[in-house]
Amino acid sequence: MDQKKYKGEKKIDLYINIIILIFVLLTGIAAVWLRNLVASAMLLGIYSLLMATLWVVLDAVDVAFTEAAVGAGITTALLLFSIWLTGKHEKKSTKKPWLPLIGVIATGGLLIFGTIGMPDFGDPNAPAHLHVAPYYLQYSVSQTTSPNVVTAVLASYRGFDTLGEVTVIFTAGIGVLALLTGLRRRRRSQKLEIKK
Amino acid sequence: MDILEQLNYWAAISLAMVGLFTIMSRGHLIKKLIGLSLFQTSVFLLFITIGKLSGGTAPIISKDFLYYSNPLPHVLILTAIVVSIATLAVGLALSVAIKRTYGTGEDDELEDLDRNEGEP
């Protein structure tokens, strides 16, 4: 690939990325701004779908699939279900927002100061591209016969990570079940007391 | 240093700060969880941006391409997305349980109820 073509492709990637980022920021801010929680949940779904588009632009196709299914699908369904159970209107908060605002601006300023040392967008000499990634890209087909490197790393090289992830999902499932069924039992015993 | 080159990091930081501000300043428990999921996606944005290689393509090995983006951040973020839905599910179950027990989902009302219960 010659140098000129390389530069041109870089610009296009960057511009599409920035245009989608603007939409992502707008929907994200709108999702937390609104006081109607159903509208918030729907906007969060749109936000996740835009994020999935952004992942495709940034070459992370597997992440895009997962984000579209989990972020835009399951998250929205779970949110709508729990809003249905708890009521959709948010009360206007009586707390003064000044202390959180100062804290957030200070933290954000420090973090932006920290990005001075970060590599440019898509820089091929960034430290992240020089460490272990070239090994995966070079040997994954011969060692695991999977042409998709993400699958190879997820299931083979970092299989223990995936085991830990499954453990987290199992624990979360037990937690949700314990929270919701324990509640039903307590309510039934309260009803029995009232009858007595 | 070009400003446009650093824009992804700044967008990730602003999303994280919007999420953090929502968690600290809004009273409704479900709105706090929405802020938490904004914070989580901002971290995903940071990682995927670091993994991007300009002129590269998705890391699926083929004869037609020479340059691929870094697959390692993609794997880490796949795990993180699934963990984020797990934490969100537990948080939502907790807020449903709180709503059923206390009858409200606003944190200042919850504080008042707890305080009144302490002094009979």
Side-chain angles (χ1 to χ4, degrees), chain B residues 51-101:
Chain B
K52 169 75 180 164
L53 180 73
S54 46
T57 181
I60 296 168
I61 304 290
S62 155
K63 283 197 296 289
D64 305 331
F65 297 104
L66 201 55
Y67 299 103
Y68 302 99
S69 286
N70 192 340
L72 191 55
H74 302 181
V75 176
L76 299 178
I77 295 312
L78 275 180
T79 310
I81 287 180
V82 175
V83 171
S84 84
I85 185 78
T87 51
L88 185 75
V90 174
L92 286 174
L94 204 54
S95 62
V96 168
I98 288 173
K99 168 79 180 178
R100 288 229 177 120
T101 320

Side-chain angles (χ1 to χ4, degrees), chain A residues 17 34 47 59 91 122 128 147, chain B residues 8 31 41 54 61 69-70 106:
Chain A
N17 163 53
L34 292 177
Y47 168 87
D59 294 341
K91 197 171 61 82
Chain B
N8 271 42
K31 188 49 89 55
T41 39
S54 46
I61 304 290
S69 286
N70 192 340
E106 305 275 350

Side-chain angles (χ1 to χ4, degrees), chain A residues 69-195:
Chain A
V70 170
I74 300 176
T75 304
T76 316
L78 279 178
L79 271 173
L80 286 176
F81 184 65
S82 46
I83 289 168
W84 175 57
L85 285 174
T86 58
K88 67 176 180 181
H89 279 294
E90 187 191 357
K91 197 171 61 82
K92 209 169 167 59
S93 183
T94 50
K95 281 189 291 189
K96 292 276 178 290
W98 301 121
L99 196 64
L101 198 64
I102 293 169
V104 160
I105 288 173
T107 319
L110 277 175
L111 285 173
I112 284 179
F113 177 67
T115 60
I116 290 175
M118 294 293 277
D120 283 355
F121 178 82
D123 184 5
N125 294 318
H129 298 309
L130 303 177
H131 188 51
V132 73
Y135 177 87
Y136 290 148
L137 287 170
Q138 197 176 352
Y139 294 109
S140 71
V141 173
S142 59
Q143 286 180 347
T144 67
T145 68
S146 161
N148 187 342
V149 187
V150 175
T151 311
V153 177
L154 188 77
S156 175
Y157 295 110
R158 290 185 155 259
F160 277 112
D161 270 15
T162 311
L163 183 66
E165 173 192 339
V166 174
T167 317
V168 169
I169 300 171
F170 181 65
T171 319
I174 290 179
V176 170
L177 277 179
L179 277 168
L180 294 180
T181 56
L183 199 71
R184 201 178 300 144
R185 204 170 299 136
R186 202 176 311 143
R187 279 172 82 213
R188 202 178 295 146
S189 63
Q190 274 174 358
K191 271 182 196 164
L192 283 177
E193 276 174 24
I194 292 169
K195 271 182 190 171

